[in-house]
Amino acid sequence: MARTYGLGARAAAAPAALFIGALLLTACGGGSGSAQDEAGGEKSGGKSKELKWAECMRAEGLDVPDPKPGQMPMMRQGQDEAKVDAATKKCKKYNPMQVTDAEKKKFAAELTEYAKCMRKNGISEQADPDENGTLLPPNQEVQETDRYKDADAKCRSKMKSVKRQEVGG
């Protein structure tokens, strides 16, 4: 199973964030979060952004269940589009999909530091993140080596804001 490092649900690129935001509005199930995100996401006034967004959307008359810790809120399908649009505008400040330019820069810097750390620790095959904020690891053969695992363990601390995702299977 390959790994990528990126912003997970909080996508680095605006187009990806918009696409994921559209999925949020039409999805009918919950997404999965990382163990790092067990508190339910970014905190805002004692509640996660995800929970505040779900509460706000419900206050506007929409069916949005509370997300489980580490999951993104999902709106049930088949709701009035005009109501969804109006609620989305009113609840924008709580939207967990919103990523500021400062956050994007922070994530990109963390990924770049991770890549540098990996190369410093013997993984010359590790490239820098791409323009979309995705850091692809070296090929599977390299990832299965002890030198890669050791370097990854030493360098993970460089990615405080970045979620690790397992891809493929």
Side-chain angles (χ1 to χ4, degrees), residues 4-17:
T4 62
Y5 299 92
L7 301 177
R10 295 183 56 145

Side-chain angles (χ1 to χ4, degrees), residues 85-96:
D85 289 343
T88 300
K89 287 176 187 165
K90 282 189 175 182
C91 301
K92 182 179 179 179
K93 68 181 176 181
Y94 303 119
N95 185 343

Side-chain angles (χ1 to χ4, degrees), residues 112-122 151 154-155 158:
T112 300
E113 286 304 309
Y114 173 83
K116 286 179 186 176
C117 180
M118 291 294 283
R119 290 190 295 268
K120 181 180 172 187
N121 283 282
K154 290 176 185 173
C155 299
K158 304 290 183 192

Side-chain angles (χ1 to χ4, degrees), residues 7 9-10 31-53 66-73 94-98 103 107 160-161 163:
L7 301 177
R10 295 183 56 145
S32 64
S34 71
Q36 297 170 350
D37 197 21
E38 289 186 331
E42 182 180 323
K43 295 291 182 184
S44 174
K47 292 183 183 178
S48 70
K49 253 183 150 175
E50 293 84 357
L51 182 57
K52 283 190 159 213
W53 185 82
D66 283 347
K68 291 181 176 146
Q71 292 186 338
M72 296 301 296
Y94 303 119
N95 185 343
M97 298 306 298
Q98 232 170 281
E103 288 172 317
F107 297 142
K160 293 175 180 80
S161 306
K163 294 179 184 174

Side-chain angles (χ1 to χ4, degrees), residues 144-157:
E144 291 173 359
T145 65
D146 286 338
R147 73 182 171 97
Y148 179 87
K149 292 172 187 171
D150 291 343
D152 181 56
K154 290 176 185 173
C155 299
R156 278 188 201 173
S157 65

